[in-house]
Amino acid sequence: MRWTPGGSSGDVEDRRGQGGGFGGGGMKMGLGGAAILLVLSLLTGKNFFSVVGAGTDAAPGSGPTTDADGNLVPAATTPEEEKLKDFVTFVLNDAQGAWSTIFQQEGRTYERARLVLFRDATQTACGTGQTGMGPFYCPGDNRIYIDLGFYDELRRRFGAPGDFAQAYVITHELGHHVQRLLGTEARVRQAMERNPDQANALSVRLELQADCYSGVWGHAAAQEKTTDGQPVLEQGDVEEGLTAAAAVGDDRIGQMTGQGVHPEAFTHGSSEQRASWFKRGFQSGNPKDCDTFQQ
Ligand SMILES: [Zn+2]
């Protein structure tokens, strides 16, 4: 992607320098595949997410530093991680702009979500968010939670490199926010409570719709140009998104972990389903073509 750093970070909350906490319960909506990272971390005793923040050049006692917006920059950060922060800020702004336009066209008002950067653990309205859960959206506080270390994991363990793959992660979670705004999330949660035996199947439909919504953003991004007139999307970007969507498919994860493939236990959909719903959203650009519940 061709992107410019320096966009407003008004919707980004940086909690990387803070400790964790405990909060109330609630339904977290994740990306899929993340529970296994927790298992792998426990099995090997290694935190798979600690890599990005591990190296620090900050001299002891150098004191807190602030960025251009006056936010506190945690000591243990790297130039790479700061660049990632700029990138997720850009994607969040870009995608929320696209959704505002889509909502306006429907005569609706889009309410912006916030994005929280954290390390290890943080308090959310959906209970304690942990790095090992992977990125997730909490409908209770309209926030997307991500430990940027996940991107290292996405590239190495899930074999999905590239900035568009990283954008897919953010825009999938933002898709859950759109589902909350449209009332889909509440309807599905009630249906799950009424029919617990359908909970997994309903979860798959919700997740595939979030993948399709990620594609809807991709469609909007494909029409955008940078300030110097270059297309925002580059050759290979869409393929990176498709690879990432497939990488977090339930069948792929079952194979990765040696647990086998059990479609009845799927909560996010197969690799093929995830990639194809992303593609459908990307080709159409219309969220009405993302009705995974009628399919
Ligand atoms: Zn999800």
Side-chain angles (χ1 to χ4, degrees):
M1 291 178 72
R2 296 183 187 88
W3 62 282
T4 16
S8 161
S9 58
D11 297 324
V12 177
E13 231 175 274
D14 196 341
R15 296 188 195 163
R16 287 175 297 170
Q18 299 170 15
F22 296 92
M27 185 166 85
K28 293 186 189 70
M29 301 155 91
L31 182 72
I36 199 57
L37 299 177
L38 198 60
V39 173
L40 288 169
S41 295
L42 290 172
L43 283 176
T44 61
K46 178 178 175 292
N47 181 354
F48 285 113
F49 297 95
S50 61
V51 183
V52 168
T56 171
D57 298 327
S62 59
T65 48
T66 50
D67 65 16
D69 297 321
N71 294 317
L72 203 64
V73 177
T77 187
T78 60
E80 292 76 25
E81 194 171 318
E82 290 314 292
K83 195 179 169 210
L84 268 181
K85 180 188 172 180
D86 284 345
F87 179 69
V88 300
T89 302
F90 164 78
V91 171
L92 184 71
N93 283 333
D94 193 71
Q96 300 216 85
W99 281 110
S100 296
T101 306
I102 291 168
F103 272 56
Q104 255 168 30
Q105 285 161 355
E106 294 291 317
R108 289 176 178 264
T109 309
Y110 178 81
E111 292 165 47
R112 294 176 82 87
R114 290 176 69 79
L115 182 139
V116 177
L117 301 174
F118 75 101
R119 284 209 188 101
D120 302 325
T122 194
Q123 192 177 329
T124 87
C126 301
T128 304
Q130 287 173 301
T131 290
M133 295 166 178
F136 64 91
Y137 170 74
C138 172
D141 57 24
N142 297 324
R143 281 168 169 80
I144 295 165
Y145 291 87
I146 184 167
D147 183 326
L148 292 173
F150 177 76
Y151 284 143
D152 194 53
E153 205 49 37
L154 187 67
R155 177 175 56 82
R156 292 188 306 129
R157 187 163 302 277
F158 291 95
D163 54 7
F164 198 88
Q166 295 166 348
Y168 156 75
V169 172
I170 301 293
T171 54
H172 169 96
E173 299 308 337
L174 194 65
H176 288 312
H177 176 65
V178 170
Q179 290 172 327
R180 199 206 57 85
L181 296 181
L182 296 179
T184 317
E185 179 264 332
R187 283 194 297 275
V188 171
R189 187 160 29 81
Q190 284 156 14
M192 284 173 165
E193 281 160 13
R194 280 196 309 273
N195 306 296
D197 55 326
Q198 286 297 305
N200 284 352
L202 287 164
S203 169
V204 167
R205 286 165 187 261
L206 207 54
E207 294 298 334
L208 293 176
Q209 187 174 63
D211 285 334
C212 188
Y213 285 170
S214 172
V216 167
W217 160 74
H219 181 94
Q223 328 295 317
E224 290 169 16
K225 296 235 188 318
T226 61
T227 42
D228 54 354
Q230 300 264 69
V232 165
L233 293 201
E234 294 175 297
Q235 191 80 28
D237 275 341
V238 179
E239 289 70 21
E240 284 175 10
L242 290 168
T243 299
V248 287
D250 287 320
D251 50 345
R252 186 79 58 87
I253 284 147
Q255 286 160 355
M256 267 171 68
T257 58
Q259 291 174 329
V261 176
H262 307 287
E264 72 286 354
F266 283 2
T267 53
H268 287 71
S270 69
S271 297
E272 193 277 328
Q273 287 176 310
R274 299 198 71 167
S276 84
W277 277 102
F278 172 86
K279 201 172 184 176
R280 189 187 290 220
F282 184 83
Q283 283 168 347
S284 126
N286 183 351
K288 291 198 170 68
D289 291 325
C290 295
D291 192 352
T292 53
F293 295 88
Q294 292 303 317
Q295 299 294 317

